[in-house]
């Protein structure tokens, strides 16, 4: 009986490790750069990216499938909600690089922010894709323009 339990846990662990993207470990490790000084920033960027992907990429696929107007309005509302609930994160490496170029943050902070943004994306897309398959929803992706709608 214990052997079956151990085999089940081992199988779950192996499946879990296979599911994780290879870059995720590097992303998490980056959160402790600078003796953890930027850990809170990393968490905000990680969660903010997950929220942004969920709230903006679902528009047109899961919400507003029959109307591009509805899809784009939901997409815009998703951007606002992700920013509000995430606490004002940047969620976009291009934004972070622009802020770095303007001298509004140092290199280490920018590095940790981008690592958090990439980590959130590395988790979000496989997670939401698995969710769409499990629920038999339209495959996950961003809003798109289609002249036939």
């Amino acid at each position: 009986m214990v052997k079956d339990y151990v085999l089940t846990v081992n199988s779950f662990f192996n499946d879990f490790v296979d599911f994780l993207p290879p870059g995720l470990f590097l992303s998490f490790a980056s959160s402790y750069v600078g003796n953890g000084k930027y850990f809170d920033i990393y968490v905000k960027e990680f969660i903010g990216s997950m929220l942004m992907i969920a709230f903006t990429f679902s528009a047109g696929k899961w919400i507003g499938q029959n109307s591009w107007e509805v899809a784009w309005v939901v997409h815009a509302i998703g951007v606002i909600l992700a920013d509000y609930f995430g606490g004002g994160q940047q969620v976009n490496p291009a934004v972070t690089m622009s802020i770095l170029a303007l001298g509004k943050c140092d290199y280490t902070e920018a590095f940790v922010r981008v690592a958090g943004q990439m980590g959130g994306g590395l988790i979000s897309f496989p997670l939401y894709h698995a969710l769409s398959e499990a629920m038999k929803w339209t495959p996950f992706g961003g809003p798109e323009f289609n002249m036939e709608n």
Side-chain angles (χ1 to χ4, degrees):
M1 180 168 132
V2 173
K3 184 177 179 180
D4 291 339
Y5 176 74
V6 171
L7 289 174
T8 301
V9 169
N10 184 41
S11 176
F12 172 78
F13 180 76
N14 287 336
D15 289 344
F16 181 73
V17 169
D18 287 343
F19 172 77
L20 293 177
L24 191 60
F25 174 75
L26 295 173
S27 173
F28 284 145
S30 300
S31 68
Y32 293 101
V33 169
N35 295 324
K37 177 182 175 184
Y38 301 105
F39 182 76
D40 291 341
I41 289 173
Y42 175 87
V43 171
K44 270 188 175 181
E45 293 294 340
F46 188 89
I47 293 171
S49 293
M50 289 186 72
L51 290 172
M52 187 67 75
I53 291 167
F55 288 161
T56 60
F57 282 71
S58 58
K61 296 296 181 182
W62 299 345
I63 303 167
Q65 293 173 329
N66 298 324
S67 168
W68 68 269
E69 294 94 348
V70 172
W72 281 100
V73 168
V74 169
H75 179 84
I77 292 170
V79 170
I80 295 166
L81 289 175
D83 188 51
Y84 178 77
F85 289 124
Q89 68 288 340
Q90 296 169 5
V91 303
N92 186 333
V95 172
T96 302
M97 291 299 109
S98 297
I99 290 173
L100 174 65
L102 292 171
K104 302 293 183 183
C105 71
D106 61 22
Y107 175 80
T108 307
E109 179 182 342
F111 176 78
V112 172
R113 283 185 182 276
V114 171
Q117 295 159 4
M118 295 294 109
L122 285 170
I123 288 292
S124 296
F125 280 105
L127 178 69
Y128 300 141
H129 182 72
L131 178 66
S132 67
E133 284 185 354
M135 302 297 284
K136 296 185 179 16
W137 293 343
T138 304
F140 192 67
E144 59 188 41
F145 185 73
N146 184 346
M147 291 294 291
E148 295 177 16
N149 285 344

